């Protein structure tokens, strides 16, 4: 069952940073935090994942709270192509069974 | 990242018929694949875990005789929707992973099933 909560929707202006929050207050010590995004009529696309430390890759940054009960996905400069539904998922890395929550629909305005 | 394909991308069938959907990992071997379904404007729902060489593990509430899963090889899993009905119309998505080289799951592009 989904254990994460996210805002239903967020809006951003193009070229500006976006901070997408996620609460995972029941996360256990060995659960990873994964972020995926989905465009309409497509399969989800991997964005980033982490365990305890903040993570950076070419797509985004992931800031994980010290108590690990929440995290924030950071898109440094939103583009129109970043408009999608973003899912935050906690999963045991060895099983990787994903129970998706409702996600956040990000709208990017030109 | 790795590539996962699904075939067909969309299928329309008559009520009562069976439909098979294929999920392939194109450039890596996956001992584990997952099947999800997604209704319009809803999130993905995990249906089952497909394990190569053994029986699939179904999530609570998913009928195993209705949704037959066969993980024939390290690169192929199939989902057969048996005796399909209009309420089975949905977007079916598979994923593969983790594997020896990747920690994350890679998702296929999805299959749109419409049952008339």
């Amino acid at each position: 069952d989904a254990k994460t909560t996210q805002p239903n929707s967020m809006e951003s202006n193009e070229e500006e940073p976006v901070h997408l929050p996620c609460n995972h207050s029941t996360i256990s010590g060995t659960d990873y935090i994964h972020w995926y995004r989905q465009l309409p009529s497509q399969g989800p696309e991997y964005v980033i994942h982490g365990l305890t430390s903040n993570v950076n890759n070419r797509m985004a940054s992931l800031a994980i709270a010290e108590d690990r009960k929440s995290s924030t996905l950071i898109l440094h400069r939103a583009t129109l192509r970043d408009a999608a539904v973003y899912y935050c998922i906690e999963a045991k890395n060895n099983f990787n069974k994903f129970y998706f929550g409702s996600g956040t629909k990000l709208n990017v305005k030109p | 990242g790795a590539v996962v394909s699904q075939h067909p991308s969309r299928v329309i069938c008559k009520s009562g018929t069976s439909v098979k959907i294929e999920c392939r990992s194109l450039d890596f071997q996956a001992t584990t694949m997952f099947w999800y379904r997604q209704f319009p404007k809803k999130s993905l729902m995990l249906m089952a875990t497909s394990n190569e060489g053994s029986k699939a593990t179904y999530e609570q509430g998913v009928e195993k005789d209705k949704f037959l899963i066969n993980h024939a090889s390290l690169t192929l899993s199939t989902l057969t929707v048996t005796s399909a009905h209009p309420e089975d119309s949905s977007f079916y998505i598979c994923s593969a992973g983790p594997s020896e080289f990747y920690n994350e799951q890679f998702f296929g592009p999805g299959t749109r099933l419409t049952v008339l």
Side-chain angles (χ1 to χ4, degrees), chain A residues 36 38 96-97 99-101, chain B residues 36 38 43 59 103 105 107-108:
Chain A
Y36 282 74
Q38 185 182 27
N96 253 4
K97 291 178 73 171
Y99 296 100
F100 283 76
Chain B
Y36 300 82
Q38 185 175 32
S43 184
E59 294 298 308
N103 286 329
Q105 291 186 33
F107 286 81

Side-chain angles (χ1 to χ4, degrees), chain A residues 55-89:
Chain A
V55 184
N56 300 295
N57 65 20
R58 63 175 180 81
M59 289 182 69
S61 295
L62 176 60
I64 302 172
E66 195 169 333
D67 63 5
R68 301 210 328 123
K69 294 184 184 299
S70 66
S71 62
T72 302
L73 178 70
I74 303 165
L75 306 179
H76 296 286
R77 290 180 65 194
T79 70
L80 297 178
R81 290 184 299 175
D82 291 324
V85 177
Y86 286 78
Y87 294 101
C88 162
I89 307 156

Side-chain angles (χ1 to χ4, degrees), chain B residues 18-93:
Chain B
S18 295
V19 175
K20 180 185 285 188
I21 302 170
E22 293 185 348
C23 176
R24 294 182 185 271
S25 56
L26 297 186
D27 48 5
F28 70 103
Q29 294 182 330
T31 55
T32 305
M33 292 183 175
F34 300 90
W35 287 96
Y36 300 82
R37 66 188 298 182
Q38 185 175 32
F39 292 109
K41 299 189 185 302
K42 298 294 184 181
S43 184
L44 284 79
M45 186 195 81
L46 178 64
M47 298 175 67
T49 303
S50 174
N51 303 297
E52 190 270 336
S54 64
K55 291 183 178 180
T57 305
Y58 291 83
E59 294 298 308
Q60 190 172 8
V62 178
E63 299 176 59
K64 61 180 181 181
D65 296 329
K66 172 77 171 174
F67 300 100
L68 300 178
I69 292 172
N70 182 28
H71 199 138
S73 73
L74 288 172
T75 59
L76 172 65
S77 175
T78 60
L79 169 68
T80 301
V81 183
T82 63
S83 186
H85 291 283
E87 57 265 31
D88 298 323
S89 298
S90 188
F91 193 49
Y92 291 87
I93 305 170

